[in-house]
Amino acid sequence: MIVTLIIICEVGFWVLLAAGLALRYWAKMPRASVAVLLCEPLLEVLLFVVTAIDLKNGAEPDWKHGLAAVYIGYSVALGHYTVRWVDVRVAHRFAGGPPPSTPKYGALRAVHEWKIAARWVLASVIAIGLLQGAIWYVGTDGNTGSLEQWQQRMLFLIALNVVIALSYTLFPKKAPAMTAHKG
């Protein structure tokens, strides 16, 4: 049931995003767009409540409960960023908005990568906290090994994102050299 709900929440996220952007750019209804986009956090609340009820009703904690925590962490820390990322691209493609501008070189790219890493660290910390809450909630009577494995995965994800950001800091990509145009 939890996996099905995670899939429904993910599909719901993209449906709400598409509907919100359609209202904004094609129907020219920006207020309705905001209202639809503000419904997205309700998906995470629903997933959290159903997961807690599932555990409360005696479900053995397993990878599905861990995945729910990771999904909620991602949505909280990166959901708004994902919406903005898609919005900029839709606005550029269909509404004459400015082109997306992600820095490609040097210190600006390193700063960008650190910001992304910070979002992933936040997502991981939220997931770890939710997982720890589930571990405490289940107590010593249940098998919480799968939840602890998810916590370890989140620590790995933190380390991976820090290494990636650090690599852009220590080895910044240089802009291509400008060559003189022969005419």
Side-chain angles (χ1 to χ4, degrees), residues 65-75 120 123 127 130-131 150 154 157:
H65 299 98
L67 183 60
V70 171
Y71 180 81
I72 292 168
Y74 174 87
S75 296
W120 278 106
L130 290 172
L131 290 161
W150 275 107
M154 295 299 93
L157 189 59

Side-chain angles (χ1 to χ4, degrees), residues 96-114:
S101 62
T102 301
K104 293 183 169 87
Y105 308 106
L108 290 177
R109 180 57 187 238
V111 168
H112 172 76
E113 292 299 327
W114 280 108

Side-chain angles (χ1 to χ4, degrees), residues 43-104:
L43 296 171
E44 284 71 47
V45 171
L46 173 68
L47 181 58
F48 180 75
V49 168
V50 170
T51 302
I53 290 170
D54 193 43
L55 290 171
K56 177 78 170 159
N57 289 338
E60 189 69 29
D62 62 13
W63 66 272
K64 296 174 285 216
H65 299 98
L67 183 60
V70 171
Y71 180 81
I72 292 168
Y74 174 87
S75 296
V76 170
L78 286 128
H80 182 69
Y81 174 79
T82 303
V83 169
R84 278 187 309 151
W85 188 88
V86 172
D87 185 29
V88 166
R89 281 146 183 83
V90 169
H92 173 65
R93 177 85 166 104
F94 298 108
S101 62
T102 301
K104 293 183 169 87

